[in-house]
Amino acid sequence: MNSSNLLANSAITSSTSLHCSKNALTDMFGWFLQILLASLAFTCLIAKRFCEPITERRSWLIWFYDTSKQGMGSVAIHLANVWLAGQYTGDPCTWYLINFLLDSSLGLAIIFIGIRLSQYLARKKGWEYINFGEYGKPPSANAWMTQCCLYICLMIIVKVSITLFMQLDFWDNVKDFILSPIPNQKVEVAFVMLIIPFFINMLMFWVTDNFLMYKDPSKRRRYSDSILRRMHVKYRSLTRKRLVDSESDVLLSADDELLDSETVPITRTVDT
């Protein structure tokens, strides 16, 4: 009896010592914050499209093809993080935040390498369907589906790599202090599910969308050529201005010498 009471008391104290309960990420408040975060992230991607130059702005179909890959991958990673956070011992909010921060840093580097490798193979082997951001003319749904599957595979590689990285012992020390100043569960869930992910997702979605969207090399070449032409015209105008200034200086100096030579005899006649 005594041993069972001690075990029960220890379980109660360990559960009450947690800032964030096991179901805090998946209760009504947690799901509300997750839906709000997804809406804000979607709005950020719409705003990014309108920030693109008019001459290079993607059509709504191409924009949907580009952003839907990122949306599906983000949903898969998010649900995996929510599930994994409940599998660790301790505060699930801290484990979710650690997973999220690693996804946004180490995971972003893996995504970049994977996308660049895919684009390299597309150019080298002629596999146009795996060239991220390019869907053919007219845009092919098959190319979009192929790239979606490839991007989901990249997300799986990211999640497996980070999960293995999380097995290191020092993460136990990190999770003890990362959210320790916040004693309130609702505030902690708001920080973990909305406030911190909003700013990081805004940057991550913007950068990842630049990875995924197609960049026409001819437009880039024309843009660089136009810059060179502007620099050349500016240089020629500056050179011409300097030549005009130097010629005017020569003429002024010649006029001054002529005036000096004319004033000398006049002063001599006055003296006599």
Side-chain angles (χ1 to χ4, degrees), residues 11-209:
I12 292 172
T13 54
S14 62
S15 62
T16 55
S17 63
L18 297 178
H19 295 177
C20 198
S21 61
K22 287 293 183 181
N23 62 344
L25 302 179
T26 54
D27 60 7
M28 290 298 295
F29 183 66
W31 283 116
F32 168 74
L33 293 179
Q34 295 173 52
I35 294 173
L36 180 59
L37 178 63
S39 303
L40 293 173
F42 183 72
T43 305
C44 174
L45 290 174
I46 295 177
K48 182 182 183 299
R49 180 186 178 273
F50 287 104
C51 291
E52 297 170 0
I54 298 178
T55 56
E56 301 178 8
R57 185 173 296 169
R58 294 166 288 179
S59 65
W60 282 111
L61 179 61
I62 299 299
W63 175 86
F64 170 76
Y65 280 174
D66 287 341
T67 56
S68 58
K69 295 192 291 285
Q70 188 172 180
M72 287 186 285
S74 299
V75 169
I77 288 290
H78 171 74
L79 294 177
N81 286 341
V82 171
W83 181 79
L84 287 171
Q87 307 306 309
Y88 295 103
T89 57
D91 193 341
C93 290
T94 58
W95 288 119
Y96 176 87
L97 183 60
I98 292 172
N99 271 283
F100 173 78
L101 294 176
L102 289 175
D103 290 335
S104 304
S105 53
L106 181 60
L108 187 62
I110 297 174
I111 292 171
F112 174 77
I113 294 171
I115 290 175
R116 289 293 180 261
L117 179 61
S118 176
Q119 290 172 339
Y120 171 77
L121 292 175
R123 291 191 301 267
K124 197 75 172 176
K125 303 291 185 179
W127 300 337
E128 294 298 329
Y129 275 11
I130 67 171
N131 192 5
F132 279 97
E134 190 170 356
Y135 309 100
K137 294 182 180 180
S140 171
N142 292 330
W144 169 67
M145 286 297 298
T146 303
Q147 294 175 26
C148 284
C149 295
L150 186 58
Y151 191 76
I152 293 296
C153 290
L154 277 176
M155 294 294 100
I156 294 173
I157 294 172
V158 167
K159 198 67 258 172
V160 170
S161 302
I162 290 177
T163 303
L164 293 175
F165 185 52
M166 290 281 293
Q167 304 306 310
L168 299 177
D169 294 335
F170 76 91
W171 291 113
D172 291 328
N173 299 324
V174 173
K175 60 97 177 172
D176 289 336
F177 71 88
I178 191 169
L179 290 175
S180 56
I182 305 175
N184 187 277
Q185 174 176 300
K186 297 292 185 183
V187 176
E188 184 173 350
V189 174
F191 265 94
V192 168
M193 282 290 181
L194 182 64
I195 298 173
I196 297 175
F198 170 71
F199 293 103
I200 296 179
N201 274 339
M202 187 168 58
L203 176 63
M204 185 178 177
F205 280 18
W206 201 288
V207 172
T208 307
D209 190 55

Side-chain angles (χ1 to χ4, degrees), residues 254-270:
D255 291 341
D256 292 338
E257 290 177 359
L258 181 61
L259 289 174
D260 292 339
S261 63
E262 288 178 354
T263 55
V264 171
I266 293 174
T267 53
R268 286 178 179 176
T269 56
V270 171

Side-chain angles (χ1 to χ4, degrees), residues 209-242:
D209 190 55
N210 284 334
F211 294 163
L212 293 172
M213 66 185 293
Y214 174 71
K215 298 178 179 63
D216 191 351
S218 61
K219 289 183 179 180
R220 192 182 306 170
R221 190 159 46 247
R222 286 197 299 269
Y223 178 72
S224 61
D225 291 342
S226 65
I227 292 177
L228 290 174
R229 282 197 297 271
R230 290 176 189 174
M231 293 176 63
H232 184 63
V233 170
K234 185 71 175 177
Y235 173 76
R236 290 182 62 184
S237 63
L238 289 174
T239 305
R240 190 180 295 111
K241 184 179 180 181
R242 289 175 182 173

